[in-house]
Amino acid sequence: MDALYLMFVDPFVQMADAPDFFLQVLWEGLVSGVLYALIALGFVLIFKSSRIFNFAQGIMVVFAALTLVGLYEMGLPAWVSVGVTLLVMYGLAMCVERVVLRPLVGQPDIILFMASIGVTMFLIGFGEFVFGGENKVMITEALGIPTGAIELNPFDGFVLIEEKDLTAVIMAVLLVLGLLLFLNKTAMGRAIRALGDDPQAALSVGISLSQIWVLVWFIAGVIALATGIVWGARAGVSFALEVIAYKALPVLMLGGLESVAGAIIGGIAIGLLEKIFEIYWGQPLLGGNTETWFAFILALVVLLFRPQGLFGERIIERV
Amino acid sequence: MSVMERPEVVESAAVSPAQEPQKREVLLDLANVSLSFGGVKAINNISFDIQRGEVRAIIGPNGAGKTSMLNVINGFYQPQEGQITFKGERRTQMKPHLAVSQGIARTFQNVALFKGMSTLDNIMTGRSTRMRQNMFWQLLYYGPAQREEIAHRKRVEEIIDFLEIAHIRHTPVGKLPYGLQKRVELARALAMEPELLLLDEPMAGMNLEEKEDMSRFIIDVNEQLGTTIALIEHDMGVVMDLSDRVVVLDYGRKIADGPPDEVQANQEVIDAYLGVSH
Amino acid sequence: MFYRVSGQFKTSYESDMALFPIRQDAVLLGVILLAMYVVFPLFASEFTFKALLVPVMIYSLAAMGLNILTGFAGQLSLGTAGFMGVGAYACYKLTTIFPEMNVVVALLLSGCFSAMVGVAFGLPSLRIKGFYLAIATLASQFFLVWLFEKWAWLYNYNASGAIEVRTMDFFGLVVTGPTAAPVTQYYFVLVIVSLITFCMINLTRGRYGRLWKAVRDMDIAAELVGINLMRAKLSAFAVSSYVVGVAGAMLVFFWKGAAEPNLFDIPLSFQVLFIAIIGGLGSILGNFLGAILIVALPVLLNFVPGLIGVEVNSATLEHVNVMVVGALIVGFLIAEPHGLARLWALIREKLIIWPFPH
């Protein structure tokens, strides 16, 4: 009876008892969720345009952040470092297209997936080789990101909102809006979507595959940098961050590999739920640290009942 | 164990000399079958039967629901309405692998072979429902598992001889030309020793010579092995020559059913194929 | 020249289906086994056992387990290390709960536990396919490592949170723990790996091998030719996890001597996956080739700076190693997506027809 009470009643009692704390938990979850969504978004873009399950997306986040901090430490001004990092990400996109994608075009999905794991390994090794393997601190202040905190007092309580988290959310929203505009309103964006729908047909109307790939990987790189800055500001910069990269994967399971909306909604949902679970169930009942697996198990359970994901259409198998 | 020895696991029904086909008995009966995906009716209230020993053709324009019909017959799709009776037994829930063990085998419109495996292994998969030795013996291999393997290999080799594909026995099927792949697929279906064989466009994409070969094999299977055959085919010449009875579908409805010459003269069939001016 | 096949005729299906239809292959294997069982133990140093031979054997076995699932049955798994952990912890618990139990029995039993866990996590494969399933296997990876950390019963409530292998003997011969001779441990690993390899070769060339490959190549068609998908997939998960579990138990018992939960974290999964890919998916031989490459690479890289006269610290070397492995994977996929095993097959084919080009 006690166990049942702790599992099914007590958490809700606590939520009702301290609504300000609950709001705080929601806010924390929302911020993580937004960042998961960003990583997942870079992923969806690459999958849509080149059918590659790009395992390296998460590592690109760390790599971009590491490059930025590394350049700053070498003495470049902060905003110049950002510019150079963008150049580096563009160079990375070109290299990936030339060295990995072009020779592997037409190979089965699984081969491309493996190649992206290879790229992941390479980036880890390369990043640590150039910038060292120790933890670094994100150059939050140099970039002009506010670091104060806003205090709110709902329900006669107290909710603390860090300004850098707020910046993260605002930046993510702007990034997503910009991306949607780009995809829907420009010729390049249309080309990317065409490639996602039917590569052969897209090629036959004169869309250049390698151009698009470089572009898409570069956009993914930009998203990675943005994510890297805001996440680095919260958690420091090191390859330990790759753990958050894995979080993008259950988001994709929930939202579907090809859905931009799915990535955003899935990311936020997972960010919120895993936080709530950790605080109200994980820590009191399971010894904590449930965030490492909760998202995966959640996605797994949802997929068992809806194999097409939350936003996919019903799969009809044909022969 | 010598190759000549006849293993007991194998029933000798398939490659035995011609059985006299008994055309009267109904092997499979479909009554008022309907199937829809979302709002789309793929099959609309269709009834027909297949008699033991006959070659039954299912024809119709593209999108008429022919392949869906085969998918319903072998349990891949569940019809929402209607009754299916196979060998006198009313069928309820159906799974494709159960259909095989009841004696229904098929080939596919787009060749559905296992591309990474050799011809021999592909055909051997057709025997998998008949293999019994458990994991333990499989691990050891020598002993019962090997005896079973050889027994089935022997049956498969008979089918390989029958379809004249001995020379490509060890070739990965991915490397074979299209016509031969179709033949390997037929071989795999025959390896299941079916009572009812469903052929989905067995001659699609073949040249004249390959079509003639395939027609000959189909006739041989029907006459020498006594297998009942239901086939979908677009080549009217082939359909008229091979089949005993023809059922014509259009937009998921049945529009004609009968002997080839009768169907050929049917006005509705001509309209469906050539279009009508309104 | 050495691979002349003329004059070797097959007169029965039995000989056509033999393990080595070509006599030279059997001779080659004989030579390799002789080296493994006689030559190496006579001449190898302690370092060679600990840093090369034993790791190669254990990684090969783990990769073989993964290969059953991914290479043969086509179900991509990213959670191998979790199942290795289950094997290791099961073996640890078995040997502490039943101290009298023979270490080999414990080892082989521990595989059964990982097989059960494997089947449980394999159940989603009946509904979820492709990349979605690959992500789902990560669920097992993260969940299991978390469990190893949080469930104190698993590590006997040790203050360190780690499991340590005590000294155990096999009919009087010390085989585990710090006092065990490396050569003894090597023989143990070698015999068990040989045995399981033999079984896996048999399994993959027989009925189960065909079931799995059929599911891999086209699961809908497999279902329509009468294959029970559930049985095919779950048997692949069970066999794979069993082998992986035994490999995990041996990793701790005959090599590392102790383990913390994070040993079984995702880097180990990837390590094993790389071995399987570089070696060749859908091949048994490839696992050994891949393991040799991946294990030998860092050891070799260690010597390179010395050879060219540069001082490099070990952290940098580690980074370079990761980089090289990443580049190697991409390079291999471009050059030969089917891995080292296919490379060997091509060479062998060339040898058979040598000196003629075709």
Side-chain angles (χ1 to χ4, degrees):
Chain A
M1 254 342 263
D2 258 10
L4 284 180
Y5 176 79
L6 282 175
M7 261 193 279
F8 295 110
V9 184
D10 190 50
F12 298 105
V13 172
Q14 284 187 26
M15 283 178 211
D17 272 358
D20 56 333
F21 181 67
F22 184 58
L23 275 183
Q24 182 80 51
V25 171
L26 285 184
W27 168 249
E28 303 279 333
L30 179 75
V31 176
S32 326
V34 165
L35 292 169
Y36 298 157
L38 270 186
I39 301 178
L41 204 58
F43 201 104
V44 166
L45 269 184
I46 289 181
F47 191 84
K48 265 176 102 78
S49 64
S50 53
R51 298 273 130 195
I52 295 178
F53 186 96
N54 178 29
F55 204 79
Q57 182 65 33
I59 285 308
M60 281 164 68
V61 172
V62 188
F63 183 75
L66 202 62
T67 309
L68 177 65
V69 178
L71 288 170
Y72 181 76
E73 281 178 356
M74 285 174 193
L76 291 179
W79 288 102
V80 177
S81 304
V82 172
V84 177
T85 308
L86 284 176
L87 279 181
V88 170
M89 294 320 278
Y90 190 73
L92 177 69
M94 298 240 294
C95 287
V96 166
E97 196 272 326
R98 278 311 285 265
V99 181
V100 184
L101 299 184
R102 204 179 289 182
L104 284 175
V105 69
Q107 293 283 358
D109 292 353
I110 189 169
I111 300 285
L112 289 164
F113 169 66
M114 305 278 185
S116 81
I117 298 184
V119 173
T120 308
M121 291 287 278
F122 182 83
L123 283 181
I124 294 178
F126 184 72
E128 291 189 327
F129 178 64
V130 175
F131 301 109
E134 66 278 5
N135 271 357
K136 292 185 192 306
V137 180
M138 179 44 71
I139 47 171
T140 320
E141 274 142 42
L143 287 171
I145 299 174
T147 50
I150 303 167
E151 213 186 290
L152 300 176
N153 298 308
F155 310 109
D156 303 323
F158 165 85
V159 175
L160 198 69
I161 291 181
E162 293 223 32
E163 283 173 4
K164 58 188 178 197
D165 287 352
L166 199 59
T167 317
V169 172
I170 294 171
M171 198 157 117
V173 171
L174 290 178
L175 211 59
V176 169
L177 287 178
L179 203 63
L180 288 179
L181 275 178
F182 172 77
L183 281 179
N184 289 311
K185 297 291 175 201
T186 65
M188 266 303 190
R190 222 168 15 246
I192 292 175
R193 283 184 297 138
L195 213 55
D197 278 350
D198 188 341
Q200 296 240 314
L203 287 180
S204 71
V205 296
I207 291 169
S208 155
L209 206 58
S210 47
Q211 244 180 34
I212 298 278
W213 279 350
V214 172
L215 182 75
V216 166
W217 278 74
F218 177 58
I219 296 177
V222 175
I223 297 178
L225 177 61
T227 322
I229 291 174
V230 288
W231 195 281
R234 310 180 84 208
V237 180
S238 81
F239 279 97
L241 271 192
E242 68 179 311
V243 175
I244 64 145
Y246 295 134
K247 288 295 179 50
L249 300 173
V251 171
L252 294 164
M253 278 172 89
L254 274 185
L257 288 166
E258 293 182 61
S259 162
V260 171
I264 296 167
I265 299 172
I268 293 173
I270 281 188
L272 286 175
L273 290 175
E274 74 170 9
K275 198 58 152 198
I276 294 172
F277 183 81
E278 167 71 10
I279 299 289
Y280 292 101
W281 281 270
Q283 281 175 3
L285 299 175
L286 296 168
N289 212 8
T290 56
E291 278 159 318
T292 55
W293 53 263
F294 176 77
F296 287 94
I297 301 286
L298 176 74
L300 190 60
V301 172
V302 171
L303 246 61
L304 279 181
F305 293 100
R306 274 182 72 88
Q308 68 273 38
L310 285 179
F311 300 95
E313 284 176 18
R314 191 165 164 242
I315 307 161
I316 296 174
E317 286 186 300
R318 294 171 188 284
V319 278
Chain B
M1 173 172 156
S2 110
V3 259
M4 302 306 295
E5 204 174 309
R6 186 119 199 154
E8 57 282 89
V9 268
V10 172
E11 295 126 58
S12 51
V15 191
S16 57
Q19 290 173 338
E20 193 52 43
Q22 312 145 334
K23 299 251 172 178
R24 292 294 91 195
E25 183 196 346
V26 171
L27 184 61
L28 177 84
D29 184 65
L30 297 125
N32 308 99
V33 171
S34 293
L35 173 78
S36 56
F37 300 108
V40 186
K41 281 240 169 189
I43 298 174
N44 194 353
N45 197 20
I46 289 182
S47 310
F48 69 93
D49 62 12
I50 298 174
Q51 293 170 356
R52 192 180 283 278
E54 74 173 339
V55 176
R56 186 77 147 116
I58 302 173
I59 65 170
N62 285 323
K66 305 184 295 294
T67 299
S68 298
M69 200 72 239
L70 289 198
N71 283 337
V72 165
I73 294 177
N74 84 329
F76 188 63
Y77 290 155
Q78 291 291 339
Q80 279 88 1
E81 286 166 44
Q83 291 174 18
I84 301 172
T85 316
F86 183 63
K87 288 195 278 187
E89 253 173 73
R90 190 64 197 281
R91 185 199 273 181
T92 49
Q93 277 293 90
M94 198 58 188
K95 284 274 174 204
H97 66 262
L98 295 178
V100 173
S101 47
Q102 288 184 7
I104 301 178
R106 74 174 285 189
T107 68
F108 303 87
Q109 192 172 354
N110 311 307
V111 178
L113 286 169
F114 308 119
K115 295 252 178 335
M117 298 158 73
S118 69
T119 300
L120 186 61
D121 277 347
N122 263 284
I123 305 173
M124 286 291 275
T125 57
R127 307 291 301 177
S128 47
T129 46
R130 292 165 187 275
M131 295 182 83
R132 295 280 168 270
Q133 293 305 329
N134 61 20
M135 185 71 90
F136 176 74
W137 291 115
Q138 298 284 339
L139 286 170
L140 294 181
Y141 190 78
Y142 298 97
Q146 190 187 25
R147 279 200 293 277
E148 184 181 47
E149 188 88 2
I150 288 175
H152 286 285
R153 169 78 186 264
K154 200 164 172 309
R155 291 287 299 118
V156 165
E157 289 288 346
E158 285 172 20
I159 293 163
I160 286 179
D161 281 349
F162 184 72
L163 293 178
E164 299 161 19
I165 45 177
H167 57 294
I168 53 164
R169 193 187 278 129
H170 290 298
T171 318
V173 291
K175 291 184 179 165
L176 294 176
Y178 190 69
L180 277 178
Q181 291 196 8
K182 283 267 185 193
R183 218 188 283 178
V184 175
E185 214 187 3
L186 178 61
R188 185 180 65 188
L190 288 182
M192 301 173 212
E193 296 179 14
E195 287 176 68
L196 174 61
L197 178 61
L198 311 173
L199 302 174
D200 196 346
E201 300 196 20
M203 280 157 242
M206 286 185 168
N207 62 30
L208 186 64
E209 197 180 334
E210 287 170 327
K211 278 186 185 177
E212 282 173 352
D213 278 347
M214 189 50 101
S215 305
R216 181 164 55 83
F217 288 128
I218 292 174
I219 294 170
D220 284 352
V221 169
N222 181 243
E223 289 185 351
Q224 290 185 26
L225 310 184
T227 311
T228 311
I229 293 175
L231 94 160
I232 294 175
E233 185 50 55
H234 278 298
D235 187 321
M236 280 311 126
V238 170
V239 171
M240 296 309 152
D241 287 349
L242 287 184
S243 52
D244 298 314
R245 288 191 305 156
V246 182
V247 54
V248 190
L249 306 185
D250 190 23
Y251 290 114
R253 291 177 308 112
K254 182 169 98 169
I255 56 175
D257 191 355
D261 40 354
E262 204 173 284
V263 163
Q264 215 166 2
N266 185 313
Q267 189 56 40
E268 213 176 335
V269 175
I270 296 168
D271 289 347
Y273 269 89
L274 301 179
V276 224
S277 55
H278 293 286
Chain C
M1 171 166 75
F2 299 111
Y3 259 105
R4 190 64 13 112
V5 290
S6 56
Q8 302 183 23
F9 300 110
K10 291 145 203 155
T11 48
S12 67
Y13 295 134
E14 203 171 344
S15 67
D16 192 40
M17 285 159 23
L19 209 41
F20 303 105
I22 300 176
R23 198 183 307 127
Q24 283 85 342
D25 284 334
V27 173
L28 189 64
L29 181 81
V31 172
I32 292 172
L33 284 180
L34 191 73
M36 301 295 292
Y37 276 89
V38 181
V39 182
F40 285 156
L42 280 178
F43 298 104
S45 65
E46 192 159 314
F47 171 79
T48 321
F49 284 126
K50 281 272 175 198
L52 288 174
L53 293 175
V54 170
V56 163
M57 286 290 131
I58 291 173
Y59 278 133
S60 305
L61 191 65
M64 197 186 304
L66 174 64
N67 226 322
I68 295 288
L69 187 63
T70 303
F72 286 92
Q75 313 294 306
L76 181 56
S77 165
L78 302 175
T80 316
F83 298 118
M84 290 177 80
V86 174
Y89 278 88
C91 197
Y92 179 71
K93 286 310 285 187
L94 281 173
T95 51
T96 44
I97 295 173
F98 310 102
E100 296 305 309
M101 186 182 274
N102 190 308
V103 61
V104 175
V105 175
L107 204 65
L108 296 179
L109 270 183
S110 60
C112 299
F113 288 90
S114 59
M116 280 189 281
V117 178
V119 169
F121 278 102
L123 284 171
S125 71
L126 306 175
R127 296 268 288 172
I128 307 172
K129 288 179 184 176
F131 289 130
Y132 291 97
L133 180 69
I135 305 174
T137 59
L138 274 179
S140 69
Q141 170 72 60
F142 288 112
F143 181 74
L144 288 171
V145 171
W146 178 83
L147 203 64
F148 299 150
E149 229 163 71
K150 299 288 172 189
W151 192 6
W153 178 80
L154 279 179
Y155 48 84
N156 290 346
Y157 306 96
N158 281 345
S160 61
I163 52 173
E164 254 173 69
V165 181
R166 63 185 171 85
T167 305
M168 279 182 288
D169 64 314
F170 182 72
F171 298 114
L173 192 67
V174 178
V175 290
T176 66
T179 52
V183 65
T184 328
Q185 295 192 312
Y186 168 72
Y187 265 121
F188 247 80
V189 172
L190 185 62
V191 169
I192 291 175
V193 171
S194 310
L195 198 76
I196 295 184
T197 307
F198 173 75
C199 290
M200 287 307 118
I201 291 174
N202 288 337
L203 212 52
T204 50
R205 67 181 168 144
R207 167 170 152 233
Y208 279 95
R210 280 193 301 270
L211 290 186
W212 293 335
K213 286 190 267 185
V215 171
R216 171 195 69 189
D217 286 350
M218 202 171 188
D219 58 350
I220 295 179
E223 195 176 5
L224 294 178
V225 300
I227 290 172
N228 184 338
L229 282 188
M230 184 171 85
R231 186 199 269 177
K233 284 182 178 175
L234 290 187
S235 66
F237 268 96
V239 171
S240 160
S241 311
Y242 180 87
V243 175
V244 163
V246 172
M250 290 209 296
L251 174 86
V252 174
F253 277 68
F254 292 111
W255 179 21
K256 303 267 185 190
E260 289 181 17
N262 64 12
L263 173 67
F264 303 106
D265 226 327
I266 207 157
L268 181 62
S269 287
F270 279 174
Q271 178 106 336
V272 175
L273 181 64
F274 292 154
I275 291 171
I277 299 169
I278 290 184
L281 290 174
S283 146
I284 297 288
L285 170 73
N287 303 305
F288 290 91
L289 301 176
I292 290 171
L293 188 76
I294 292 282
V295 171
L297 193 68
V299 178
L300 289 179
L301 277 180
N302 253 319
F303 288 114
V304 172
L307 286 179
I308 53 174
V310 198
E311 278 287 316
V312 182
N313 66 29
S314 62
T316 313
L317 262 183
E318 173 67 35
H319 302 155
V320 172
N321 182 40
V322 174
M323 216 165 102
V324 171
V325 170
L328 258 184
I329 289 166
V330 176
F332 256 104
L333 291 176
I334 292 169
E336 181 51 74
H338 300 284
L340 290 168
R342 174 64 62 87
L343 220 55
W344 162 243
L346 290 174
I347 293 171
R348 181 170 162 272
E349 223 163 88
K350 283 262 185 297
L351 280 176
I352 287 176
I353 53 173
W354 191 83
F356 307 105
H358 302 293

